[in-house]
Each structure stands twice: as structure tokens, then as C-alpha cells.
Amino acid sequence: MKKVLGIISTILFFIGLASYIAMFFGNDNFLLGGVIVSAIGLILAFFAGKGVYKRIGLIGNAIFIIVAFIFPLIVTTFFWNKP
């Protein structure tokens, strides 16, 4: 059962990655869906069994959330604000 969670987490990473790539082609509606899917994939990766799928799920989904959500939040909050 834990291996299945790792596989699902990896699949969710690739879905999030595909939605992020689709965002570059002009459809910004996919970004929120990609972040939500990657957050679910990250949570599932924590409960997955040891193996390559767990590592792909953890690292991939974490990097995706950092690049698509955390980094823009920090930049817009601290660097692009006007007094």
C-alpha cells in the first residue's frame, strides 16, 4: 500500500509539472490546480514507503511548490511592495 502512495505521488508531480508548463503557453488557470495537486502529492509522499517513487514525489513536489508558490510570495511581499 505504501508503494502505491509513492506511485500516486509521482504521478501527481508529473500532472503538476504539466500544468505548470501549460501555464507558460498563456493559460494561467492551470497554476492553482498544479499547486494543489503538488501539495496533495507532497503529503502522500510523506506516507509512502522507501524507494525511488518517494524521493521523486518528495523532491519534485517540494521544488514545484517552492518555485510556483513560495518564491513568488516572498518576492511580491518583500521586494515589489511600495510604501
Side-chain angles (χ1 to χ4, degrees):
M1 183 66 188
K2 289 188 174 188
K3 184 177 181 178
V4 173
L5 291 176
I7 294 171
I8 292 171
S9 174
T10 303
I11 291 170
L12 290 176
F13 163 65
F14 286 119
I15 291 171
L17 185 64
S19 69
Y20 191 67
I21 291 171
M23 186 201 67
F24 285 124
F25 290 114
N27 195 350
D28 292 337
N29 297 329
F30 286 117
L31 182 62
L32 179 63
V35 170
I36 291 171
V37 167
S38 289
I40 294 170
L42 185 66
I43 292 169
L44 289 177
F46 283 124
F47 297 110
K50 293 181 180 179
V52 68
Y53 293 120
K54 179 177 183 166
R55 282 183 260 151
I56 291 172
L58 278 174
I59 295 170
N61 288 322
I63 288 174
F64 179 77
I65 290 174
I66 289 170
V67 168
F69 185 71
I70 302 294
F71 183 69
L73 181 71
I74 291 171
V75 167
T76 57
T77 302
F78 294 115
F79 298 115
W80 283 344
N81 59 357
K82 293 184 180 181

